[in-house]
Amino acid sequence: MATYWQVIFFSLIGGVFSLIGGLLILSKKQFAQKLAVYATPFAAGALLAAVFFDLLVEGIEEADAATVLYAALAGIVLFFFAERFLRWFHHHHEHKDTQLDPAVGLIVVGDTLHNALDGVAIAAAFLISVPTGIVTTVAVAAHEIPHEIGDFGLLLSKGMRRGKVLLVNIISALATTVAAVITFAIGSADKLPLGTLLGLVSGFLLYIAMSDLIPTIHDTTPARKLLAWRPLILLFGLAVVWTVVSLAE
């Protein structure tokens, strides 16, 4: 059984560690952009592997398969509408106005909510087992690196000063740990339907991989090449998480 200290430690990795990409864009923008290009396909593979090799399997052991799969579908639909109305995950349009934009508040709130959901995912996995929690942390951290690079760049383009961008993102990243500790505390008291929760988490991670990361891979990979570097890195992400899951069994 996982402990609070393990949940705190790994949720900090999942949240605060991901800021490394944002820190790079503050100091070495060109390198950060290159990192995002290769971190994105790795994250996509890691998320898919975490869902299909671990989270759904563990969820079905906690509840019947139909309940878990319905919850996964509900998670996908829920985050589809969350993205549509709050613009949580996608910032594809460019912002050329250098003055501070009123939309900055929405961006920060959306990122904080996103981080909190990452915390729920990590805690739900640790309620199953420590290895499952670690696998989920790896997947979450992998997708957060390119996400935070995008958020840092967006806030800078909106006119926010570098120091404030860093401070705001550190505070936002701590939402991962707060949500993880709360979820773990509730679950430790046997008040959470773990099968349903793992299904929802799977839907959340699938949605990120399929709607955000994979389209980015297609957009940045030459159409004439079937197996360019980025698709191969996706397969590498799959293989890494599958290996971790296999060794943890």
Side-chain angles (χ1 to χ4, degrees), residues 220-232:
T220 56
T221 301
R224 294 182 179 180
K225 292 185 178 181
L226 180 62
L227 289 177
W229 278 109
R230 294 173 186 85
L232 290 174

Side-chain angles (χ1 to χ4, degrees), residues 39 42 64 90 143 161 187-188 225 238:
F42 180 87
D64 62 276
H90 292 275
H143 97 262
R161 288 177 297 179
S188 294
K225 292 185 178 181
L238 277 169

Side-chain angles (χ1 to χ4, degrees), residues 79-95:
F79 292 110
F80 165 76
F81 282 104
E83 177 194 15
R84 185 169 180 81
F85 291 108
L86 297 178
R87 297 180 295 168
W88 281 2
F89 306 131
H90 292 275
H91 309 293
H92 292 311
H93 52 286
E94 295 182 358
H95 301 274

